[in-house]
């Protein structure tokens, strides 16, 4: 019976490979749909923070004239959208709409004596026009929070008295400054309002506000703060569905800010309720606005091309120049980063984009896509079972059967988890299988390799590298098919298990090299456990642990790069348009080819293939960044392979020199 079971498991591998091939073929239409979706949003919108501009103007001798001049400069530089916030008393004061006084200020102005039973806020309007437009907004905002507002005047100027301390009054938000919005609209700017979540949800008030926005041509809003309007801690108090209905009725979309410390609460639900009428936004901070213009331009261009971002939000900052004894800003630096043939706008247009209001992706989905995805799912399960067959052959059929049952169960209970798990396991399986097959090929060629010329060994190394890379990329169609949802492209969902993807293929390749080869130096776990521990072993283990921690620190979005590496990345970007990954063309790929070259002559060099697996898994991981367009990921991998082969030639040359020097000098050293 056991003999038949082994025979069935061995025969099953052929059927599993057929299922894998069918899964790849079925994934192609799904991948084509994703490529079509990525091509539906081609407008890139440059947005400036109007609140920052107002703040900087407050440091100028003639704020109004300076503001008009800077708006013209920014518009000429290519910025045609201004972000306007829900106003505060501070913002109205900076814009010279009102003058705000505390209780102490008002007492000094009026000559009254302070009392212990009153602490109010006082304000005066700067002119009648401002009063007509601003006063109703202020009264409405404070009345909604049951704070009394009454008339107040001083020296013939009209104002208001607000029954709350100034420290509290300046924190209250109200509708955006109508004077500013009318002025910006008259100058031809598109508006991007920023809304925050108020303490009391007001459906009628929001409807009226959105109607005014729509009349001004607003087609997208951005949220300010940690919550979206309508969100509440208690689920039964939330009004996200009501707010989404207001947006849908007016055709207004929302914007998702990239790389927030935490997602804005309620955003994902609101995105779903608005049918994912979402555009991604990159925010350049006030601190970063002082960076070199070339660096800023590079950030904007990469955001549009590599990360499917269509909105560039620009802050400026006030700077104190103690040497010159004056206050400056970064507007001139920002304009330089946008303008000219090497500026961000020209570079973005060179990539095939157009400057204009950002639009959301229009999801393309051909008929029968769900059927294709199910075939791809079956192929992914088969690929995972093939990985099991390498290490535990008797469990091949059982692994496939359990995989099918487990997938069906997860689909019913948690379909999202099913997609994530299969994508991760398929991403681990393909490069591991590819590396195992490469190691087996090296072992088969070893005896013949003793008689091969250096040229033939190098040719075998390059050809085996190309074949292994193609096999590793088998995982890519499955990842695309399993995670083909607009939420991944908008980074509302992300590929999970990046650290595991970066470690598992290395660990499994090491496991195979050390224990599953006939000519293994270790042979079995028991033999290793019986080996005496030496200082050299401890040193090697520590070095490996440090290298592993450093390697993990470079993975994922939190990974950091050195200044030299960043400079080289920029050079590659400007030279070839797409920059390949360093760990592929400088580490994994050259080491793979060089290891094959050496291992065909010196058997134990095959252990270096453990390090070479980094390049193979990295190619798969490139496609796990779903927010990156498919063609960018493909070009990045192909460039990495091409450059890796070139670097490998240098590795092989260095080895040949070392080998010849050793042959020449080792006899002399032996005599010493």
């Amino acid at each position: 019976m056991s003999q038949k079971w082994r025979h069935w498991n061995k025969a099953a591998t052929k059927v599993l490979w057929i299922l894998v091939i069918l899964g790849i073929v079925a994934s192609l239409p799904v991948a084509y749909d994703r490529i079509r979706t990525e091509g539906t949003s081609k407008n890139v919108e440059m947005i400036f923070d109007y609140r920052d501009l107002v703040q900087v103007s407050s440091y100028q001798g003639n704020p109004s004239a300076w503001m008009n001049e800077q708006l013209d400069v920014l518009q000429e530089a290519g910025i045609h959208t201004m972000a306007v916030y829900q106003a505060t008393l501070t913002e109205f004061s900076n814009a010279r709409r009102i003058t705000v006084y505390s209780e102490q200020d008002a007492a000094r102005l009026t000559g009254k004596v302070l009392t212990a039973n009153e602490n109010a806020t006082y304000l005066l309007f700067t002119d009648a026009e401002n009063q007509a437009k601003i006063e109703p907004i202020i009264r409405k905002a404070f009345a909604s929070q049951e704070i009394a507002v009454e008339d107040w005047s001083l020296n013939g100027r009209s104002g208001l008295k607000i029954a709350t301390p100034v420290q509290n009054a300046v924190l209250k938000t109200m509708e955006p400054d109508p004077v500013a919005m009318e002025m910006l609209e008259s100058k031809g700017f598109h508006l991007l309002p920023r809304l925050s979540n108020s303490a009391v949800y007001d459906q009628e008030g929001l409807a009226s506000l959105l109607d005014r926005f729509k009349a001004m041509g607003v087609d997208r809003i951005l949220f300010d703060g940690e919550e979206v309007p309508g969100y509440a801690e208690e689920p039964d108090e939330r009004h996200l569905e009501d707010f989404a209905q207001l947006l849908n009725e007016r055709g207004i979309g929302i914007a998702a800010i990239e790389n927030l410390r935490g997602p804005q609460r309620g955003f994902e639900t609101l995105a779903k309720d608005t049918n994912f009428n979402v555009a991604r936004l990159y925010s350049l901070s006030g601190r970063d606005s002082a960076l070199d213009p070339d660096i800023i331009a590079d950030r904007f261009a990469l955001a549009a091309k590599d990360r499917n971002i269509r909105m560039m939000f620009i802050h400026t900052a006030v700077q104190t120049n103690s040497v010159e004894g004056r206050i400056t800003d970064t507007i001139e630096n920002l304009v330089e980063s946008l303008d000219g043939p090497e500026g961000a706008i020209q570079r973005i247009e060179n990539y095939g984009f157009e400057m204009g209001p950002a639009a959301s992706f229009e999801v393309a989905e051909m008929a029968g896509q769900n059927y294709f995805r199910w075939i791809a799912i079956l192929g992914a399960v088969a690929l995972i079972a093939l990985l099991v067959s390498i290490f535990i052959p008797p469990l091949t059929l059982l692994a496939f059967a359990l995989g099918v049952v487990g997938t069906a169960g997860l689909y019913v209970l948690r379909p999202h988890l099913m997609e994530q798990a299969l994508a991760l396991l398929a991403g681990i399986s393909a490069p591991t299988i590819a590396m195992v097959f490469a190691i087996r090929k090296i072992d088969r060629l070893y005896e013949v390799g003793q008689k091969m010329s250096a040229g033939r060994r190098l040719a075998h190394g390059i050809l085996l590298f190309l074949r292994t890379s193609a096999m590793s990329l088998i995982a890519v169609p499955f990842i695309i098919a399993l995670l083909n949802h607009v939420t991944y492209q908008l980074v509302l969902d992300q590929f999970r298990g990046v650290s595991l993807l970066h470690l598992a293929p290395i660990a499994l390749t090491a496991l195979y090299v050390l224990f599953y080869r006939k000519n293994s130096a270790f042979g079995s776990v028991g033999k290793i456990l019986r080996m005496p521990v030496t200082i050299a072993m401890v040193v090697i283990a520590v070095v490996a642990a440090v290298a592993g921690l450093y390697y993990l620190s470079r993975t994922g979005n939190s990974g950091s790069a050195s200044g030299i590496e960043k400079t080289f990345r920029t050079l590659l970007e400007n030279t070839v348009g797409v920059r390949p990954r360093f760990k592929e063309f400088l580490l994994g790929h050259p080491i793979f080819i060089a290891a094959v070259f050496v291992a065909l002559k010196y058997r134990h060099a095959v252990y270096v293939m453990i390090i070479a697996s980094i390049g193979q898994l990295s190619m798969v991981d490139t496609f796990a960044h779903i927010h990156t367009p498919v063609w960018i990921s493909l070009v990045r991998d192909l460039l990495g392979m091409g450059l890796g082969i070139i670097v490998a030639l240098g590795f092989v040359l260095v080895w040949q020199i070392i080998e010849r020097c050793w042959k020449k000098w080792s006899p002399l050293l032996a005599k010493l």
Side-chain angles (χ1 to χ4, degrees):
M1 183 63 184
S2 61
Q3 187 69 25
K4 288 184 178 180
W5 180 252
R6 284 195 294 270
H7 175 74
W8 292 341
N9 278 282
K10 186 175 181 180
T13 58
K14 297 179 181 179
V15 178
L16 293 177
W17 276 115
I18 293 173
L19 290 176
V20 169
I21 294 171
L22 290 175
I24 294 172
V25 173
S27 299
L28 297 180
V30 184
Y32 177 64
D33 278 348
R34 177 177 154 188
I35 294 172
R36 287 199 299 157
T37 298
E38 291 171 344
T40 58
S41 177
K42 285 296 184 181
N43 279 4
V44 176
E45 187 172 6
M46 308 301 297
I47 306 151
F48 203 88
D49 190 297
Y50 181 73
R51 176 181 283 179
D52 286 355
L53 209 58
V54 172
Q55 183 180 6
V56 177
S57 73
S58 66
Y59 293 90
Q60 310 303 317
N62 188 336
S64 179
W66 182 89
M67 177 72 77
N68 282 324
E69 179 185 352
Q70 296 306 312
L71 287 173
D72 292 339
V73 168
L74 292 171
Q75 195 168 48
E76 187 176 349
I79 296 174
H80 298 293
T81 299
M82 283 286 160
V84 293
Y85 291 72
Q86 288 177 281
T88 63
L89 293 183
T90 301
E91 188 169 337
F92 282 142
S93 177
N94 287 339
R96 302 300 196 271
R97 312 269 188 258
I98 60 174
T99 306
V100 180
Y101 304 99
S102 66
E103 187 72 41
Q104 291 87 343
D105 295 333
R108 282 192 293 268
L109 289 171
T110 60
K112 293 182 178 180
V113 179
L114 287 174
T115 63
N117 58 359
E118 188 174 34
N119 189 10
T121 299
Y122 303 82
L123 63 89
L124 293 174
F125 296 101
T126 54
D127 57 45
E129 181 182 357
N130 283 329
Q131 180 179 2
K133 294 181 178 180
I134 301 299
E135 182 176 356
I137 294 175
I138 296 175
R139 286 183 177 274
K140 179 181 177 182
F142 285 95
S144 69
Q145 298 193 32
E146 299 180 350
I147 298 174
V149 179
E150 60 185 70
D151 292 335
W152 183 72
S153 63
L154 180 67
N155 298 330
R157 291 174 57 193
S158 299
L160 298 173
K161 176 183 177 181
I162 305 171
T164 188
V166 68
Q167 294 86 350
N168 183 49
V170 297
L171 298 177
K172 307 302 181 184
T173 59
M174 52 202 83
E175 295 179 13
D177 184 350
V179 179
M181 289 197 297
E182 290 174 8
M183 180 270 294
L184 292 171
E185 186 183 20
S186 68
K187 293 182 77 70
F189 282 100
H190 191 69
L191 299 178
L192 177 68
R194 295 201 69 169
L195 299 183
S196 59
N197 189 25
S198 60
V200 179
Y201 181 80
D202 182 2
Q203 181 83 350
E204 292 184 3
L206 275 173
S208 176
L209 182 60
L210 292 176
D211 284 337
R212 290 200 293 278
F213 287 160
K214 192 63 180 178
M216 291 182 167
V218 171
D219 54 15
R220 196 167 300 280
I221 60 175
L222 178 65
F223 301 121
D224 189 27
E226 298 179 353
E227 301 171 352
V228 304
Y231 179 83
E233 292 293 338
E234 297 297 327
D236 57 349
E237 295 179 5
R238 293 175 187 171
H239 295 272
L240 295 174
E241 187 176 342
D242 298 330
F243 183 49
Q245 183 180 354
L246 294 179
L247 295 173
N248 292 335
E249 288 172 352
R250 292 156 183 80
I252 297 177
I254 57 180
I257 306 172
E258 184 193 42
N259 288 338
L260 287 176
R261 291 183 179 179
Q264 291 173 309
R265 291 188 287 272
F267 188 92
E268 187 174 344
T269 300
L270 192 62
K272 182 179 179 181
D273 290 342
T274 55
N275 298 315
F276 299 104
N277 186 0
V278 180
R280 295 186 68 215
L281 179 145
Y282 167 72
S283 180
L284 182 78
S285 68
R287 182 181 62 182
D288 288 347
S289 67
L291 292 171
D292 185 275
D294 290 338
I295 295 176
I296 296 174
D298 187 55
R299 287 191 179 186
F300 287 144
L302 290 178
K305 177 174 67 72
D306 284 12
R307 303 202 299 277
N308 275 333
I309 292 175
R310 298 295 180 262
M311 304 178 78
M312 311 297 169
F313 195 97
I314 305 172
H315 289 274
T316 187
V318 175
Q319 298 176 323
T320 302
N321 191 325
S322 57
V323 177
E324 299 181 10
R326 64 189 182 95
I327 294 176
T328 62
D329 56 72
T330 57
I331 295 177
E332 184 177 349
N333 189 64
L334 290 167
V335 169
E336 185 179 349
S337 73
L338 299 175
D339 204 12
E342 297 300 322
I345 291 178
Q346 186 60 57
R347 288 180 59 183
I348 290 171
E349 290 178 340
N350 290 342
Y351 290 135
F353 298 101
E354 298 178 2
M355 308 310 297
S360 59
F361 289 113
E362 297 177 12
V363 179
E365 186 172 335
M366 66 175 63
Q369 187 186 105
N370 284 334
Y371 298 108
F372 291 130
R373 288 186 77 247
W374 273 110
I375 297 174
I377 288 171
L378 193 64
V381 174
L383 183 62
I384 297 164
L386 284 169
L387 177 63
V388 174
S389 72
I390 289 175
F391 295 95
I392 316 175
L395 297 184
T396 303
L397 278 172
L398 183 60
F400 179 71
L402 291 176
V404 171
V405 173
T407 298
L410 278 177
Y411 178 77
V412 174
L413 299 175
R414 298 185 65 183
H416 184 71
L417 179 60
M418 179 270 290
E419 296 169 348
Q420 292 270 358
L422 278 184
L424 174 61
L425 293 175
I428 292 172
S429 299
T432 304
I433 294 171
M435 288 301 300
V436 168
F437 282 13
I439 292 165
R440 288 176 178 176
K441 181 69 173 178
I442 293 171
D443 285 339
R444 289 196 299 270
L445 289 174
Y446 171 71
E447 297 299 333
V448 183
Q450 298 290 306
K451 304 173 184 177
M452 285 185 188
S453 64
R456 283 194 64 194
R457 284 189 286 137
L458 178 60
H460 272 291
I462 294 174
L463 291 175
L464 186 56
F465 162 68
L466 294 175
R467 191 187 79 172
T468 305
S469 298
M471 186 172 290
S472 294
L473 291 175
I474 285 175
V476 171
F478 294 113
I479 292 174
I480 292 175
L482 288 164
L483 305 182
N484 183 44
H485 195 277
V486 71
T487 54
Y488 292 100
Q489 291 161 279
L490 297 173
V491 198
L492 300 176
D493 278 321
Q494 295 191 60
F495 183 84
R496 306 295 177 186
V498 172
S499 296
L500 187 58
L501 176 59
H502 281 82
L503 282 179
I506 301 174
L508 291 172
T509 301
L511 183 67
Y512 184 85
V513 170
L514 296 176
F515 303 118
Y516 282 82
R517 294 170 56 245
K518 292 180 180 179
N519 300 296
S520 171
F522 298 98
S524 67
V525 175
K527 184 177 180 180
I528 290 181
L529 293 176
R530 290 191 297 270
M531 290 175 64
V533 177
T534 63
I535 295 178
M537 290 181 179
V538 174
V539 171
I540 292 172
V542 171
V543 171
V546 172
L549 289 173
Y550 174 74
Y551 169 68
L552 283 179
S553 73
R554 297 295 309 276
T555 66
N557 295 327
S558 61
S560 58
S562 64
I564 296 176
E565 185 175 343
K566 289 178 180 178
T567 302
F568 193 39
R569 283 180 175 181
T570 303
L571 176 63
L572 286 171
E573 179 70 31
N574 295 335
T575 305
V576 298
V578 176
R579 59 191 186 199
R581 289 182 157 187
F582 274 47
K583 56 188 169 187
E584 292 176 22
F585 77 89
L586 286 182
L587 180 64
H589 297 343
I591 286 178
F592 185 107
I593 296 171
V596 175
F597 176 83
V598 178
L600 290 179
K601 190 172 182 180
Y602 305 99
R603 186 189 297 277
H604 291 314
V606 76
Y607 296 113
V608 181
M609 293 293 284
I610 297 171
I611 302 174
S613 62
I614 292 174
Q616 299 301 307
L617 68 87
S618 178
M619 289 196 300
V620 175
D621 178 65
T622 295
F623 284 88
H625 294 75
I626 311 299
H627 58 273
T628 300
V630 172
W631 74 270
I632 291 285
S633 298
L634 179 61
V635 172
R636 179 169 288 152
D637 274 3
L638 293 177
L639 276 174
M641 291 170 63
L643 290 174
I645 292 174
I646 294 173
V647 175
L649 297 178
F651 279 27
V652 170
L653 178 61
V654 170
W655 172 260
Q656 287 288 84
I657 293 172
I658 293 173
E659 187 180 32
R660 291 185 181 183
C661 290
W662 178 254
K663 286 182 178 179
K664 182 177 180 180
W665 295 334
S666 59
L668 299 176
L669 293 173
K671 294 178 181 179
L672 295 177

